[in-house]
Amino acid sequence: MNLFSHLATEPTHEDLFAGAVLMRGLALAQDAEFFAAVERIISAAPLRHATTPSGLPMSVMVTDCGTERAFERRWDPASPQRARLWPPMPRVLLDFALRCAVRAGFPEFKPDTCHINRYQAGTRLGLHQDRHEIDLSQPIISISLGLECTFLLGGFERTGEVKRILLEHGDVLVWGGPSRMRFHGVKPLKPGDHPMTGPYRYNLTFRKIA
Ligand code: MD6
Ligand code: FE
């Protein structure tokens, strides 16, 4: 679907599971503003390779913004990068995350961070649960920008059945309540060239971690 046909269409509201809502196209009306905000975050806090729990570099590149309190909770006091504070969350992103949460039935959502993942051709994310946030009653809001991906959404055990969901530029996924601990991941990204993001897919996740 091209940009124009997407804009001419209302965003969807698809209940994937109880607590998991996909709103396709919801970010399209402000996509350029959101991407400009992402670029500002990256210039203040450059992308770095994510590392596995055992410290190996992964191909997904990451950065963050958010409150000082959230930063304090996330960074290891012994880390050499400890001195670098996160930039604040841009207002335009915070406001949008709050609107997404309300639309999806989580009006109490109070994110203190936005984590950014950048994928290129071949980058994948193995099945995982998001279990490091402080308050698991709070949902996660996820915005996709740039190249599409196949997102995997499973059950509560790594080996269960998984749904495959195409996530495209402008799609929003909200994830909470009884779905909060579902396993999920991203299949290896296919190469492509997106008019806004070039060879990359960006995923923004808003969370309350502190
Ligand atoms: C991604 N997302 O889409 C990776 N986690 O690039 C996640 O791991 C994720 O999209 C929790 C909730 C929504 C997500
Ligand atoms: Fe996740």
Side-chain angles (χ1 to χ4, degrees):
M1 206 183 282
N2 66 36
L3 185 64
F4 188 76
S5 63
H6 241 137
L7 280 179
T9 314
E10 282 295 296
T12 68
H13 187 109
E14 301 168 43
D15 291 302
L16 302 174
F17 293 105
V21 184
L22 173 60
M23 296 178 289
R24 294 188 194 272
L26 188 59
L28 280 179
Q30 290 176 275
D31 60 351
E33 265 179 277
F34 297 159
F35 189 58
V38 167
E39 291 189 305
R40 289 199 304 277
I41 296 165
I42 291 172
S43 55
L47 290 163
R48 60 183 195 280
H49 281 281
T51 49
T52 63
S54 55
L56 296 173
M58 297 164 67
S59 83
V60 66
M61 305 284 291
V62 297
T63 191
D64 301 271
C65 63
T67 65
E68 199 164 328
R69 191 175 137 81
F71 172 84
E72 300 281 330
R73 176 153 189 273
R74 183 50 56 96
W75 281 96
D76 172 2
S79 160
Q81 294 178 74
R82 183 68 184 66
R84 196 191 75 190
L85 275 175
W86 292 349
M89 204 186 313
R91 187 83 229 177
V92 66
L93 293 181
L94 176 60
D95 286 348
F96 182 66
L98 294 174
R99 280 190 282 131
C100 292
V102 168
R103 255 178 117 108
F106 297 99
E108 74 293 355
F109 184 45
K110 294 199 173 52
D112 55 16
T113 55
C114 172
H115 174 76
I116 296 171
N117 280 338
R118 190 191 76 181
Y119 298 74
Q120 60 192 52
T123 304
R124 63 187 286 279
L125 195 63
L127 284 177
H128 66 280
Q129 287 172 304
D130 291 0
R131 48 166 74 254
H132 299 296
E133 296 76 19
I134 200 137
D135 178 358
L136 298 177
S137 75
Q138 294 261 326
I140 294 176
I141 312 287
S142 153
I143 303 174
S144 294
L145 292 176
L147 294 180
E148 67 183 39
C149 78
T150 301
F151 190 79
L152 303 173
L153 180 51
F156 302 99
E157 274 165 56
R158 192 183 298 279
T159 52
E161 199 181 311
V162 296
K163 247 191 228 256
R164 299 162 67 97
I165 298 152
L166 180 70
L167 289 184
E168 294 176 288
H169 178 74
D171 290 351
V172 175
L173 188 58
V174 179
W175 183 292
S179 282
R180 185 60 180 70
M181 294 308 283
R182 285 185 184 279
F183 275 90
H184 57 281
V186 175
K187 297 279 283 179
L189 201 81
K190 294 196 191 110
D193 185 17
H194 187 275
M196 188 171 288
T197 68
Y200 302 117
R201 167 178 186 256
Y202 292 84
N203 182 255
L204 285 58
T205 49
F206 298 84
R207 306 161 196 261
K208 175 163 170 55
I209 69 165

